Amino acid sequence: MELNYAQKQAVLHRNGPCLVIAGPGSGKTAVLTKRVQTLVDSGVSANEILVITFTKAAAIEMKERFNRLSEFSHPVTFGTFHSLFWGILQKELGYRPSDIVMGTHRIRILKEALNLAKVNTEDTVLVNAYISELSAVNNSMIDLNCYEPKYVDIHGLRGFIKAYEDIKEKYKVIDFDDMLIKAYTLFEQKPEVLKRWQERFSYFLVDEMQDMNDLQFRLIRMLSANTDNLFCVGDDDQSIYGFRGANPDIMKEFMEVYPGAKKIILDYNYRNPANLVKAASNIIGKNVKRFEKEIKSTNESGNIIVLDKKSPVDEAEAVIAEIKRCHGMGQPYDEMAILYRNHSDARYMVDRLLSEKLPFYLKEQMPNIYSHFIISDIEAYFQLALGNYTKARMLSIMNRPNRYLHRQSVAAGVDKEKMLDFYRNHYSCYKNMESLWSDIELIGKMSPGAAINYIRKAVGYEQFLMEEAAKKEEDYGEYLEVLEFITGVFKDLRTISQAVDRLNILKLKIDYENKNRAVEKTGKIGLYTLHSSKGLEFENVFIIACNEGIIPSNRIENKDDIEAERRLFYVGITRCKRNLYLSYNNKKNRDKSRFLDEMCI
């Protein structure tokens, strides 16, 4: 490809620190690979060049692109931060792969530590918050005594971290965060080791700098201090991994640490339509903490369509209709992507895709909405109403709502007469048991929609959900949305048997897509969270649920939070190469996202 002026400046930069600010579609990967080729062609030994990316897949792709530029193979090192410093720990301290704790083993250790710290491990939101805070402490290089957690109690966090460190020490294992921490400690305590690795490389190239955390920045500065040939590429406007410890201010800090550094802005966007570049600039320009840049488009204008619908069901149907229309005009499914803030925002969309039999894949594992405890409870009522008796089903709903019935009443099996006989001498529980069986028998004679309404109102399931939401400190409204969702799924069915059959098919389909999500993407519509869409591009992009409280999130507490949400939306809209669809719904009088107005479209 023909390089523009800014790209040539970056490729030809030779010695000293350099910061390249590369916006969406600006050709940063081409710049990085061509710079490596230029260094090698100028006589720099390939062994002295280190290229760091943030994922193994990105490192492999960049290495392959570099290899295609030359007819000869050059031993340039491409890798991630973790692979680089893990290799150093193996060589210097003798660590082995078996010393790394990950996957289910790490989850067991984390839960053991949470239990020791007396944290409720059944509360998944709380568990994830503690794990997120643990990673933030490790990656920010802040002393725990000075750290202020955002989501959990500081005393609980300290207890959890101490327990976690003690357990790892007991089992003689380390996790991924430890790799970087131990490498930093090694360099600090043994200057001769640091010197050896400083002399190993002369040129350092870092991709996606905006995703770097404080610890990674310190490590790469230490490693490159011998030559200061540190070439970093990134876009502060696309820093969206703050919850993992990424610090967008590091790019500003780079210019403070290296006041004489060269700064280059790749100011041409080769991906997005001209009107989208303008709209994206309008919105991201509202952020204060960023490098000023004036991005120019090389493309004609495309289409930016806003869909205003009454409900999530209507919204999903409108998006499906547009997907079908685009496909009917010859556009392939694999050039279409549906983006959303949270997995729960996609439940109606997934249901419509399944019912319309449209091919799709999931970038990330999606919680199976059909396995939600509320839907599982409804299914248990339905199965029992059909006479499909199991102890598990009866135990799951006999006290939802609370009927004060004992588990022992099912010891002799799920049998109406035996369960009634268990309470023959306990009048109030006998009447409750009688009422439970009466409800089950009545449900079997209803349509699925009527049965769910009966369970909600007459049986008292809504009251149970209200109490459950208060106990778990969760949103009762979200529980009601799940009930409304499953009612909509069954709206065209006449019998309970049909509902159970449909539920089993839908549940298996989502499980299958989750299991095979990375196997085959050709000819399929992609479903992504906004976070997981980063780095990708599609002809047609649909961003759903552009409502206040969703995009941006209702967890905003300060200006930094809203700037982070704005960056996330910016990443989403700049995935689009031709047609951008932004949809929102007015359910519960929700407002449309403020970001739609900020785009000035």
Side-chain angles (χ1 to χ4, degrees), residues 361-362 510-520 524:
Y361 69 88
L362 304 170
I510 296 298
D511 284 342
Y512 175 82
E513 292 297 340
N514 272 329
K515 184 178 179 182
N516 297 282
R517 63 187 185 280
V519 176
E520 183 53 61
K524 294 181 181 179

Side-chain angles (χ1 to χ4, degrees), residues 205-222:
L205 295 83
V206 181
D207 188 20
E208 304 285 12
M209 190 192 186
Q210 76 280 348
D211 296 336
M212 195 183 287
N213 61 46
D214 296 298
L215 176 55
Q216 290 165 337
F217 190 37
R218 286 197 193 187
L219 280 165
I220 198 63
R221 280 164 52 194
M222 293 171 85

